[in-house]
Amino acid sequence: MKIRFLPLCAGLLAMSAMPAALAQSYTKQAELGLAATGETFSIGQTQYRIAPAAQVKRADAATDPRRDVVVGEYVVEPKAAAANARSKRAVDAVAGNGLGAAVSANGRAVVVAPELNVYFSNASVVDALVRETGGTLLYSSAAGGKATIGYASLAEAMKARQRILGKAGVKEVSPRLVQQRRVAW
């Protein structure tokens, strides 16, 4: 039985390279999608899931839009989520500058402010909601039926959201998304 040297070497080389080829490598956008294990919320028809461990910071000169997850003027750095991240502790883990990240069902990343948009049918409920949840009233319009309540962190805002949902006179409650600025040149 004659074994040829060249095919044997090629086979050994292919087998040694196989584990590297099978190793999973994710883009930061995919990592953020995997890290989105927190609480869900809807705005209109779009559903989002909080990425509790993600860090949001302002984009700078070192930001690479091809590599980093850039949302408007912010860059989102995905961090690995804990194994049991869908627990209440996952919401408590959101910290830092108050901003957080969420991922929509189609994979689009958004930056979430520590504020709640509250849509109401009765303006008298707004002051009570602010007192009950420990927030700060940032904006209120009885004519428009909308108020914005601010909190120290996204975790606090999400806890307050749970308390506000279902209150009499409240139509809808959702975290405020930080919109990308559009500048006309």
Side-chain angles (χ1 to χ4, degrees):
M1 178 154 125
K2 191 174 180 182
I3 298 177
R4 295 194 176 198
F5 183 70
L6 190 57
L8 178 65
C9 288
L12 290 173
L13 181 63
M15 286 181 13
S16 67
M18 195 178 305
L22 293 176
Q24 294 181 352
S25 65
Y26 294 105
T27 63
K28 287 192 178 183
Q29 181 71 38
E31 286 179 26
L32 183 61
L34 293 172
T37 58
E39 188 174 342
T40 60
F41 63 92
S42 296
I43 297 178
Q45 298 297 323
T46 306
Q47 187 170 22
Y48 298 92
R49 183 172 294 276
I50 301 272
Q55 294 179 341
V56 178
K57 53 189 174 185
R58 285 215 181 268
D60 56 18
T63 303
D64 181 3
R66 294 170 298 188
R67 187 190 72 218
D68 297 321
V69 180
V70 179
V71 179
E73 58 193 46
Y74 297 97
V75 62
V76 178
E77 185 65 37
K79 301 290 181 192
N84 191 15
R86 291 186 194 267
S87 70
K88 185 175 182 239
R89 281 177 258 135
V91 175
D92 294 338
V94 181
N97 57 8
L99 297 175
V103 180
S104 69
N106 67 2
R108 188 178 75 110
V110 294
V111 174
V112 185
E115 301 170 6
L116 295 176
N117 287 328
V118 180
Y119 298 91
F120 54 84
S121 58
N122 183 353
S124 64
V125 301
V126 175
D127 290 330
L129 293 175
V130 171
R131 276 192 311 277
E132 287 176 25
T133 61
T136 304
L137 184 62
L138 303 176
Y139 169 83
S140 181
S141 170
K146 178 186 172 192
T148 302
I149 305 172
Y151 297 90
S153 70
L154 182 57
E156 285 183 32
M158 295 307 285
K159 286 178 188 176
R161 179 179 171 269
Q162 291 301 326
R163 293 175 63 190
I164 294 172
L165 285 171
K167 293 275 186 180
V170 175
K171 294 180 185 177
E172 184 181 339
V173 182
S174 61
R176 185 179 70 79
L177 301 183
V178 178
Q179 300 296 325
Q180 181 175 349
R181 291 186 183 163
R182 299 190 194 282
V183 179
W185 296 101

